Amino acid sequence: MEAQTLTSQTPSGKIGVWWFLASEIPVFGGLIVSYIVLRLGGAGWSEASSHLNFNFALANTFVLLTSSLTMVLAFAEVEAERPRRVGNYLLLTILLGVLFLAVKGFEYAGEIGKGFTPGAGIFWSFYYGMTGLHALHVLAGIVVNLILYLQALSGALQRHGHRVELAGLYWHFVDVVWIFLFPLLYLT
Amino acid sequence: MNSTSPNAESVAHDAEPGFWRAYLFSTDHKRIAKQYLSVALFWAVMGGLTAYLMRWQLAYPDTEVPGWGFIAPDFYNMLVTMHGTIMVFFVAMPILLAAFGNFLIPLMIGARDMAFPRLNMLSFWVFALASLVLLTSLFVPGGAASAGWTGYPPLSAKPEYTGVTWGLNLWLLALALEFASFLMGGVNFLTTAINMRAPGMSFFRLPLLVWMELTAAVIFMLSVGPLIAGAVMLLMDRVVGTTFFLPEGGGEPLLWQHLFWFFGHPEVYVILLPGFGLILEIIPVFSRKPIFGYRPIIYSTIVAGALSFVVWAHHQFLSGMDPRLAMPFSITTIIISVPFALIVFAMIATLWRGSITFSTPMLFAMGTLSVFIFGGLTGIFNGSAPVDIYIHDTYFIVAHFHYTLFSAVFFAGFAGLTYWFPKMFGRMMNEQLGKLHFWLTFVFFNAVFIPMHVVGLGGMMRRISDPTQYEFLRPLQPLNQFITVAAILLLLSQLVFVVNFFRSLICGKVAERNPWQANTLEWRVPSPPPHENFDAIPVVYHGPYEYNSSEAAVDWLPQDRRVTTGAATR
Amino acid sequence: MAEIISGWFPENVSSFGGEIDALFRLILYVTGAWFILTEGLILFFLLRYRRREGRRAAYVAGDNLRQLAWILVPCLIVLLLDLWLDFRGAEVWAKIKGQVPPSDFHIQVTGKQFNWEILYPGPDKEFGTADDVLMENELHVPASRVVRVILKSKDVIHSFFLPNLRLKQDAVPGRAITAWFEATKPGKYPLPCAELCGFGHTGMNGWLFAHSPEDYAKWAKQQWP
Ligand SMILES: [Cu+2]
Ligand SMILES: [Cu+2]
């Protein structure tokens, strides 16, 4: 039987990922707008925010930005058809993601050690809620990249190079979310 | 153009799949549609059961419910919560979006399957998991969620307020899973419609049902995010001790209401639009006329979808939010009647000078239309903020939204089921039983919900388990009993459908390809359609509603039939 | 007609209740007219254009403005009526919720699972002083006077509902929400909770005692001798 031909020029996977991301934006959008509205209406938020570990978060921002770069490089190597390097860059992206989570975990431990638990006040609720949900997204991205990495090792990725691009779209999205969260939580 | 699908390999397997692949882990959109339908029908029975228990308790408080036992107040609250949750998320959405959308979108646009068949299977299984979690939540110690389907905190945020512990956590988890499932489904619907249309199937040749399903999917995907965030926040308040919604920790209970209704109102249209879509397919076929105003209907749908994002606070006029906010939301709410009025007028205009046959699907379509008009009009009362001061949280509201949602879910759902039954199962349903089912449902539905408006105007509050505890409600008790009797009869009437459904499944008349002489592509393939639907992908030349066109000799003109004399219209 | 409609409601004894009821009737007339018109047309078309041998349906697709006018003009009328109802509603809303009329009779009502705690400021009209009196579920006020209610909650959301006064307002923990009413007729009126607040929600019911001036003075004398 003849295969279905596509209506548009764009591969379905890409359209799907874009729609998925479009539905993810309101998730973080809802959280961020809630945070801003409550913060404008209440006092004591800046004081709480000053207990965060700014330097670690700044370093973590660079970690995440770098991981976006390695993700871009991975896809560039797909297009250049150098499968070994694709795998290497994917591995690098994964490790940077893990590093990000490790730093984040270290931050959490420090804050909880100082008594700033999730129940310590409304700022801390949002802090743990927003960064926690973001960390879950990072974790999901790591899992996706890990699957792609294993496929790269086994050679299966060669026929499905576009998957690296799709995973990259998601990874950049997670990165962008952090770019919003970082100033909102740490800088104000 | 015409690049090969990256999913071609998963679509193009012809070999007969084994039992597991065929029935449980099928990637065939038609099979998945039936899976959704079966789970949803199971939940519909549960929804009916909760309705029966609640109605009995309201009419004859603190007597033993036949076949059940006594109903304690906290159990009543669980019934209220589960009835809403089940009907909205586990009946309405799976039937109207998942079952009909999955079955019809690929067939109607001329595709072999969804764009992502395996994602489709996954979304069903996530939904099944959500169902399982919800079912489990009914049996955990502490009981099921009992804070209402809207789950307002602080009541829902602290276990000591309700006594419910894991029941409510699992309820939140079930909702989260169900949202994830429908997000995957939405991605699939939209990608499929964008990328899998047959040659010639331009957007303005799509059947209106496809438009409605797509608009519903977009509305859902763009509105549910904040509630997903809200559900995470509420779960954190319950489990890890955050205070998002708890004022003693600096939180804000009203925040939840905004997050909930920002989704909750658009959700109404997520349900309503596919319901409209179903009857918009049926009305032209049984009037033998094109739908009146195809394009204006599409534009209206989009306008209504956009407006639905700016009406949410009409649920919160009395919540303590700034009263100055009420008027803007009151105005947008009442204005949203305009696009819906247009769609209703277009349906009525389609009947004008038609040649109307009253088959079961058409009866249910007319039931949908007439019942929806009633519900749409009573919405004006609720949308008017001053009137809402009095009727808010009374049975007037309950009656109103049953008029809108029951029409979309059940009247339109039955219209769709009886209309596409031959396509789904290859047999015709029995017309006599179908008509009997319609008239019983129509009469008893109105017998339940018209008096309910009066009960509401008398001041009876929602979610109370015993009206006789209030002196001022006692005069309404005979009416409450009348409603209960009618409700039981309404529930019993559904047995006619059950009998008809299974009887037709086994020994109904074998259906031909196109028993209703309809134009859309699903009627061009055998009943039921084979794996991968089409022998050859059809080429589309017309819009979907060319009935009695002068171009054709007969009174119908399939979308893929080329007319040699004139150019295709539209 | 108006009499039948008011028969559906509990007796109105609110200074502003009449306007809510009038707005209700107005909307009922407007929507009732549309109801009869649309359902009537449907019924008429269904009967008039039912299938008959030898008659074919007309091909009317509504794809030009001349035909579409048949539905666009009614939509325009719907829009105008909508705006009319909106503006009528805005006036009533402004009167009730826009500002609280001056009042020297303040009362604090606190919802808790599952009672109304009613705090009277006493003769000094100050809350938090020694002459405050706390009662459960009994709200005593003088009739024909504006009563200002400060609504609070100790635990979950409750809703302060006075059906006869056409007043409903949620009581939200963490907030003090002001509501007001003026009873036009002395009497004893129900004060249920209208928001699901837990297993004792049913039966969370207080009473409003609207006293005539003399009776109120008598009652106050008993409380603050
Ligand atoms: Cu709404
Ligand atoms: Cu209550």
Side-chain angles (χ1 to χ4, degrees):
Chain A
M1 217 177 276
E2 50 158 339
Q4 177 106 35
T5 54
L6 295 188
T7 321
S8 80
Q9 304 275 7
T10 321
S12 295
K14 214 172 191 172
I15 299 176
V17 169
W18 277 115
W19 276 111
F20 169 68
L21 295 182
S23 67
E24 279 270 34
I25 292 169
V27 178
F28 285 100
L31 260 175
I32 289 173
V33 171
S34 304
Y35 171 81
I36 293 174
V37 170
L38 286 202
R39 183 159 180 168
L40 289 177
W45 294 64
S46 303
E47 202 278 325
S49 162
S50 67
H51 295 288
L52 291 176
N53 196 328
F54 176 76
N55 293 333
F56 273 40
L58 187 65
N60 236 354
T61 307
F62 284 113
V63 169
L64 215 51
L65 285 174
T66 315
S67 76
S68 260
L69 179 68
T70 54
M71 197 73 208
V72 171
L73 290 173
F75 184 60
E77 296 299 343
V78 168
E79 299 210 300
E81 293 182 31
R82 284 186 291 236
R84 271 189 64 110
R85 292 200 187 182
V86 175
N88 291 343
Y89 279 123
L90 280 174
L91 183 62
L92 208 53
T93 313
I94 293 166
L95 291 176
L96 286 168
V98 172
L99 179 63
F100 175 88
L101 289 183
V103 173
K104 197 74 232 156
F106 193 77
E107 272 187 77
Y108 281 165
E111 279 134 15
I112 290 172
K114 282 192 271 179
F116 299 120
T117 60
I122 184 67
F123 174 81
W124 296 100
S125 297
F126 272 102
Y127 168 72
Y128 285 102
M130 300 207 293
T131 57
L133 196 63
H134 176 258
L136 279 180
H137 280 74
V138 174
L139 188 66
I142 290 174
V143 171
V144 170
N145 286 345
L146 200 61
I147 294 170
L148 291 183
Y149 176 64
L150 294 176
Q151 289 180 344
L153 287 189
S154 72
L157 197 58
Q158 294 203 30
R159 282 186 301 124
H160 301 291
H162 66 281
R163 288 181 185 168
V164 177
E165 189 188 9
L166 303 185
L169 284 174
Y170 173 77
W171 192 259
H172 299 321
F173 167 78
V174 174
D175 200 355
V176 169
V177 169
W178 178 256
I179 300 296
F180 278 93
L181 295 188
F182 174 60
L184 279 170
L185 288 167
Y186 291 84
L187 280 182
T188 44
Chain B
M1 207 174 166
N2 297 358
S3 58
T4 313
S5 158
N7 303 296
E9 93 255 43
S10 56
V11 181
H13 52 83
D14 292 316
E16 274 298 303
F19 171 82
W20 292 101
R21 285 298 303 272
Y23 290 95
L24 278 176
F25 299 103
S26 171
T27 54
D28 181 299
H29 68 102
K30 303 180 290 293
R31 182 77 61 190
I32 292 173
K34 289 177 195 171
Q35 289 173 325
Y36 271 112
L37 187 64
S38 340
V39 177
L41 289 178
F42 161 77
W43 280 117
V45 173
M46 295 289 279
L49 177 67
T50 51
Y52 162 65
L53 297 177
M54 285 191 290
R55 272 322 313 177
W56 185 278
Q57 165 69 20
L58 288 172
Y60 312 104
D62 302 325
T63 60
E64 211 168 322
V65 186
W68 186 271
F70 291 97
I71 292 177
D74 53 346
F75 183 67
Y76 185 87
N77 291 349
M78 292 170 199
L79 290 175
V80 168
T81 308
M82 283 306 139
H83 181 77
T85 305
I86 289 171
M87 287 304 198
V88 171
F89 295 116
F90 291 84
V91 177
M93 287 182 65
I95 290 182
L96 293 175
L97 274 129
F100 282 115
N102 261 310
F103 189 83
L104 291 170
I105 289 175
L107 283 168
M108 282 182 156
I109 67 173
R112 296 207 181 282
D113 206 317
M114 284 286 182
F116 310 113
R118 275 175 298 177
L119 183 70
N120 206 13
M121 175 185 79
L122 183 65
S123 62
F124 169 73
W125 282 104
V126 172
F127 170 70
L129 185 63
S131 294
L132 197 65
V133 171
L134 189 70
L135 204 58
T136 311
S137 84
L138 306 181
F139 300 104
V140 292
S146 64
W149 84 280
T150 52
Y152 280 9
L155 185 65
S156 58
K158 269 193 180 174
E160 57 259 44
Y161 288 146
T162 51
V164 178
T165 49
W166 273 97
L168 214 148
N169 298 352
L170 290 177
W171 174 77
L172 278 169
L173 184 64
L175 289 189
L177 286 169
E178 128 102 32
F179 294 155
S181 155
F182 278 86
L183 278 178
M184 290 187 253
V187 166
N188 226 337
F189 280 17
L190 291 162
T191 311
T192 305
I194 289 171
N195 240 5
M196 311 289 280
R197 282 170 288 128
M201 182 59 91
S202 62
F203 276 110
F204 283 116
R205 281 180 187 162
L206 285 176
L208 285 168
L209 173 75
V210 178
W211 269 104
M212 297 280 170
E213 294 279 357
L214 295 184
T215 316
V218 173
I219 297 174
F220 177 78
M221 292 170 72
L222 297 185
S223 66
V224 77
L227 183 58
I228 293 178
V232 170
M233 291 149 91
L234 189 53
L235 200 60
M236 286 178 75
D237 275 6
R238 290 180 64 85
V239 180
V240 302
T242 54
T243 55
F244 287 108
F245 305 120
L246 294 169
E248 59 266 35
E252 174 55 76
L254 293 194
L255 174 60
W256 167 268
Q257 297 184 19
H258 286 288
L259 297 174
F260 186 91
W261 289 116
F262 181 79
F263 162 76
H265 194 90
E267 168 71 6
V268 174
Y269 302 130
V270 170
I271 295 171
L272 215 55
L273 292 179
F276 274 4
L278 294 173
I279 68 168
L280 281 165
E281 295 304 317
I282 292 168
I283 292 172
V285 173
F286 294 101
S287 310
R288 310 314 290 169
K289 269 190 69 194
I291 197 81
F292 187 90
Y294 172 85
R295 283 192 189 215
I297 290 177
I298 294 170
Y299 300 141
S300 283
T301 307
I302 295 169
V303 168
L307 273 175
S308 76
F309 283 86
V310 290
V311 298
W312 80 89
H314 61 214
H315 297 267
Q316 296 166 254
F317 288 147
L318 310 171
S319 67
M321 72 169 189
D322 192 327
R324 284 168 299 182
L325 282 176
M327 270 310 120
F329 280 103
S330 190
I331 290 170
T332 51
T333 300
I334 293 184
I335 298 271
I336 211 169
S337 63
V338 176
F340 282 107
L342 187 137
I343 298 175
V344 165
F345 293 150
M347 290 187 200
I348 298 176
T350 305
L351 301 174
W352 179 68
R353 292 182 62 195
S355 173
I356 301 165
T357 31
F358 296 100
S359 60
T360 310
M362 184 61 171
L363 286 177
F364 271 109
M366 290 300 106
T368 311
L369 182 58
S370 56
V371 167
F372 173 78
I373 288 174
F374 194 112
L377 290 171
T378 52
I380 305 279
F381 295 89
N382 315 334
S384 174
V387 177
D388 191 58
I389 296 176
Y390 180 66
I391 60 180
H392 179 71
D393 268 335
T394 67
Y395 265 84
F396 189 89
I397 304 286
V398 179
H400 155 72
F401 67 68
H402 279 89
Y403 260 89
T404 55
L405 293 184
F406 196 103
S407 71
V409 182
F410 292 102
F411 282 106
F414 285 130
L417 272 179
T418 48
Y419 179 69
W420 279 287
F421 188 91
K423 190 51 67 184
M424 286 182 166
F425 301 103
R427 289 177 187 274
M428 305 298 289
M429 284 185 93
N430 181 295
E431 276 289 307
Q432 276 76 39
L433 285 176
K435 283 176 181 154
L436 178 69
H437 174 228
F438 167 75
W439 284 111
L440 291 174
T441 304
F442 187 76
V443 168
F444 290 128
F445 169 81
N446 287 298
V448 172
F449 290 101
I450 286 179
M452 199 178 275
H453 289 91
V454 180
V455 170
L457 292 179
M460 180 164 158
M461 296 80 71
R462 290 170 76 170
R463 296 166 170 174
I464 56 167
S465 61
D466 181 358
T468 60
Q469 287 195 20
Y470 301 85
E471 225 169 85
F472 76 107
L473 296 179
R474 262 172 233 158
L476 297 170
Q477 203 50 18
L479 214 47
N480 266 322
Q481 288 165 351
F482 176 84
I483 293 172
T484 295
V485 172
I488 292 172
L489 292 171
L490 176 63
L491 288 170
L492 288 177
S493 308
Q494 305 316 305
L495 290 176
V496 180
F497 177 77
V498 174
V499 168
N500 192 2
F501 188 90
F502 287 106
R503 203 174 147 263
S504 307
L505 212 53
I506 298 161
C507 55
K509 198 177 118 231
V510 173
E512 40 185 307
R513 271 178 195 231
N514 191 357
W516 315 115
Q517 303 188 325
N519 290 345
T520 40
L521 293 178
E522 78 273 26
W523 302 108
R524 305 294 285 162
V525 294
S527 306
H531 201 57
E532 308 215 326
N533 302 342
F534 299 93
D535 281 340
I537 298 293
V539 178
V540 173
Y541 299 100
H542 316 278
Y545 306 115
E546 295 299 303
Y547 295 99
N548 262 306
S549 154
S550 53
E551 287 175 47
V554 283
D555 72 350
W556 50 299
L557 179 56
Q559 285 193 271
D560 63 342
R561 180 172 298 160
R562 188 171 207 161
V563 182
T564 36
T565 44
T569 51
R570 283 212 190 99
Chain C
M1 191 67 204
E3 254 162 60
I4 301 174
I5 298 168
S6 20
W8 295 338
F9 291 84
E11 185 193 5
N12 168 42
V13 297
S14 162
S15 59
F16 55 70
E19 302 202 40
I20 290 181
D21 293 4
L23 187 59
F24 179 92
R25 284 195 300 273
L26 175 67
I27 298 176
L28 184 66
Y29 298 146
V30 172
T31 55
W34 277 113
F35 179 76
I36 291 167
L37 188 73
T38 49
E39 305 278 8
L41 263 183
I42 293 173
L43 212 59
F44 173 69
F45 287 170
L46 287 181
L47 296 176
R48 172 77 178 71
Y49 300 112
R50 69 185 183 278
R51 202 185 111 84
R52 261 170 286 174
E53 278 316 313
R55 194 180 61 82
R56 272 181 80 157
Y59 182 91
V60 187
D63 49 7
N64 58 63
L65 215 55
R66 242 199 59 218
Q67 288 177 359
L68 281 175
W70 284 97
I71 63 173
L72 291 178
V73 171
C75 278
L76 191 70
I77 299 172
V78 169
L79 179 66
L80 293 175
L81 286 171
D82 279 354
L83 290 172
W84 182 41
L85 294 177
D86 273 328
F87 288 127
R88 281 292 299 123
E91 285 168 26
V92 179
W93 182 261
K95 208 173 269 178
I96 301 170
K97 293 279 178 179
Q99 82 285 332
V100 182
S103 158
D104 59 350
F105 195 93
H106 293 198
I107 254 170
Q108 183 178 304
V109 176
T110 307
K112 63 166 195 201
Q113 286 180 325
F114 298 96
N115 277 307
W116 297 114
E117 262 182 11
I118 291 153
L119 187 69
Y120 299 86
D124 68 354
K125 305 194 175 198
E126 295 271 332
F127 290 108
T129 52
D131 64 346
D132 287 8
V133 166
L134 188 73
M135 287 190 173
E136 292 226 320
N137 294 331
E138 284 192 18
L139 175 54
H140 293 269
V141 301
S144 309
R145 243 168 98 185
V146 174
V147 177
R148 188 182 286 214
V149 185
I150 297 138
L151 270 173
K152 294 184 175 179
S153 169
K154 277 190 174 158
D155 37 45
V156 302
I157 298 175
H158 302 272
S159 192
F160 180 86
F161 184 25
L162 285 167
N164 301 84
L165 286 120
R166 307 292 189 265
L167 173 63
K168 192 182 289 119
Q169 175 60 54
D170 287 1
V172 183
R175 288 179 176 235
I177 299 166
T178 308
W180 69 278
F181 65 85
E182 183 186 334
T184 52
K185 188 179 145 193
K188 181 184 172 194
Y189 306 107
L191 168 50
C193 168
E195 182 70 60
L196 180 64
C197 56
F199 72 90
H201 169 55
T202 307
M204 178 165 168
N205 190 16
W207 292 101
L208 167 72
F209 296 88
H211 299 287
S212 64
E214 309 81 62
D215 285 353
Y216 183 76
K218 230 185 274 170
W219 178 82
K221 198 100 185 207
Q222 283 168 8
Q223 305 307 316
W224 297 279

